[in-house]
Amino acid sequence: MSDLSWMPRENGIKDHHLWSEDVFSTEAPGVIYEKKPILDPQGNPVDGVYSAWVTLNNPKQYNSYTTEMVKAVIAGFHRASADTSVVACVFTAMGDKAFCTGGNTKEYSEYYSKRPNEYGLYMDLFNAMVDTILFCKKPTICRVNGMRVAGGQEIGMACDIAISSDLAIYGQAGPKHGSAPDGGSSDFLPWMLPMELAMWNCVSCEMWSAYKMYRLGLISKCVPVIKDGDKWVRNPTVITDAYVADGDLVYGEYKTGDAAKDARAYLKTATTDFELLDKEVNKILWTYANLFPGCLIKSVEGVRLKKKYFWDQAKVINRHWLAANMSGEAFLGFGAFNTKKITGTDTIDFLEYRRRLAAGDTLDDVLMAAVLGKPKG
């Protein structure tokens, strides 16, 4: 015989998914998973070739992720990774206010605080979420539709590339609210920003604009999402028409004074449209679709390795510290944030806390009550 038809073979496609689609949900809080056709430059769908979209769906809580949502994100990236028809995975969220603001503070405060073992188990899931993004066998795109803060910043940086709404803000919140940016920011930011700016962004809890992050190289592009008639309007709260003023770099910095006040007033009535954001995402998807898939993912992995290296060095020991911290400063920080409507403040009295520590006070309920806000009325 001149062919191999005599060899017994099994045909068809195996199912390599670990989870069924039941883990996904269109009901908030949840995660939506969907496949969308790749679009050619004219906007026409291409048969049989797709992008996978993992969408955080908890807009009322700024797309913060609950424990069940973390599981679904893991399942979504694994599903995209194992689907040969998928070119790339897009990570985004519902609404126009936030991509993600990190872990669900209500859940952290009301359940996980003072339960360090439980939080350690939660951190195993969080670490697996970051791992699954970094190990996805498809390029990953973070479509930043709004705030990317705290843990949201971290899972966003785990992606290979980010395209952002110009209304988005970026930053960390941990040291102000009872934690440390050890879910990836302390690993990724020194690769993506100059070292001192990475340091300041990690610890200061300042919020930086999308244009500033674009200038510094944290994201690939930011585009306007406000449409006024047929005109696109760039984020009016940010300086985008000058690079230097009085010897300082000002491009991407927030406006101050009356200019800031007027800009905020305009934003209250402005309407958002993600047409340009989606066009940029589609351009990347089309580029990826027209590359050898094996060569593409090898190239992606070659760059990812650098992020993976530092993430892997600390993720386990960070898990243990974050768990232990849930009995101390995390209880205070998350508790203060979660009870803002009761007390009127979302942070503790930091100076009183430092004074009591300097006096050798024990970290007991008396100290905690002294530094937390008091119920109004």
Side-chain angles (χ1 to χ4, degrees):
M1 289 186 179
S2 60
D3 59 35
L4 297 177
S5 60
W6 56 272
M7 292 185 68
R9 298 285 294 164
E10 178 184 351
N11 296 315
I13 300 295
K14 294 280 190 183
D15 182 355
H16 295 101
H17 300 309
L18 287 175
W19 296 271
S20 71
E21 294 192 5
D22 293 342
V23 71
F24 307 115
S25 174
T26 57
E27 299 296 322
V31 172
I32 301 167
Y33 180 86
E34 57 186 326
K35 288 169 63 174
K36 298 182 181 183
I38 295 293
L39 304 179
D40 69 17
Q42 288 72 47
N44 302 310
V46 179
D47 291 337
V49 185
Y50 303 92
S51 58
W53 289 57
V54 176
T55 304
L56 300 171
N57 182 23
N58 191 15
K60 288 185 178 179
Q61 294 179 310
Y62 297 102
N63 293 312
S64 59
Y65 41 77
T66 63
T67 301
E68 294 304 312
M69 288 173 67
V70 172
K71 296 177 187 177
V73 172
I74 295 169
F77 277 91
H78 187 274
R79 182 167 287 270
S81 184
D83 190 335
T84 309
S85 69
V86 168
V87 171
C89 187
V90 179
F91 195 16
T92 191
M94 294 295 289
D96 62 356
K97 299 294 188 294
F99 164 68
C100 181
T101 54
N104 188 271
T105 306
K106 178 178 173 62
E107 188 178 42
Y108 280 10
S109 174
E110 296 180 11
Y111 180 74
Y112 283 119
S113 67
K114 290 200 173 182
R115 290 189 175 100
N117 185 67
E118 290 294 297
Y119 192 70
L121 296 173
Y122 168 87
M123 280 306 303
D124 289 338
L125 292 174
F126 177 88
N127 285 356
M129 175 168 61
V130 176
D131 285 340
T132 307
I133 298 170
L134 288 169
F135 281 90
C136 184
K137 295 303 179 286
K138 306 295 164 57
T140 56
I141 303 166
C142 188
R143 176 186 176 272
V144 189
N145 55 302
M147 288 188 288
R148 199 175 87 169
V149 175
Q153 170 80 310
E154 294 172 323
I155 59 177
M157 286 191 294
C159 295
D160 300 318
I161 199 166
I163 305 296
S164 178
S165 155
D166 73 343
L167 296 182
I169 61 174
Y170 294 77
Q172 298 305 137
K176 189 174 183 179
H177 295 294
S179 190
D182 283 341
S185 284
S186 55
D187 309 297
F188 302 145
L189 280 174
W191 272 103
M192 303 173 82
L193 296 177
M195 182 62 77
E196 290 207 6
L197 292 179
M199 178 70 76
W200 188 246
N201 190 257
C202 265
V203 305
S204 69
C205 300
E206 285 183 359
M207 295 297 119
W208 295 356
S209 77
Y211 286 107
K212 181 169 183 173
M213 287 306 198
Y214 174 57
R215 169 167 63 83
L216 294 173
L218 186 81
I219 60 176
S220 293
K221 194 163 191 177
C222 64
V223 297
V225 296
I226 298 173
K227 200 167 190 180
D228 192 346
D230 60 355
K231 180 184 177 184
W232 292 99
V233 179
R234 294 190 181 273
N235 186 342
T237 68
V238 178
I239 299 170
T240 57
D241 58 354
Y243 201 79
V244 177
D246 193 28
D248 284 329
L249 297 178
V250 296
Y251 181 88
E253 299 295 340
Y254 286 106
K255 295 176 182 177
T256 58
D258 289 340
K261 183 178 178 181
D262 292 344
R264 289 193 294 269
Y266 175 82
L267 282 181
K268 289 181 179 179
T269 59
T271 57
T272 54
D273 185 328
F274 289 124
E275 177 187 346
L276 296 184
L277 185 65
D278 287 331
K279 280 185 177 180
E280 291 299 326
V281 171
N282 287 331
K283 283 181 186 178
I284 296 171
L285 292 171
W286 180 247
T287 298
Y288 288 159
N290 287 277
L291 299 171
F292 282 108
C295 297
L296 170 59
I297 193 58
K298 175 58 182 72
S299 301
V300 167
E301 292 278 16
V303 178
R304 277 184 191 165
L305 279 172
K306 285 68 179 176
K307 286 199 289 188
K308 284 181 184 177
Y309 177 82
F310 286 100
W311 165 247
D312 286 340
Q313 300 310 299
K315 67 183 182 185
V316 175
I317 57 170
N318 285 346
R319 174 258 196 223
H320 298 313
W321 179 85
L322 289 164
N325 186 53
M326 270 294 175
S327 292
E329 291 185 350
F331 174 82
L332 289 170
F334 294 131
F337 191 87
N338 190 51
T339 57
K340 180 180 179 181
K341 290 183 179 179
I342 300 173
T343 66
T345 180
D346 64 357
T347 62
I348 68 164
D349 184 335
F350 291 112
L351 299 181
E352 179 62 17
Y353 181 63
R354 286 176 175 273
R355 281 192 289 265
R356 287 177 176 263
L357 291 182
D361 290 7
T362 57
L363 192 61
D364 55 18
D365 286 355
V366 174
L367 184 153
M368 291 181 176
V371 301
L372 282 165
K374 305 297 185 292
K376 293 181 291 186

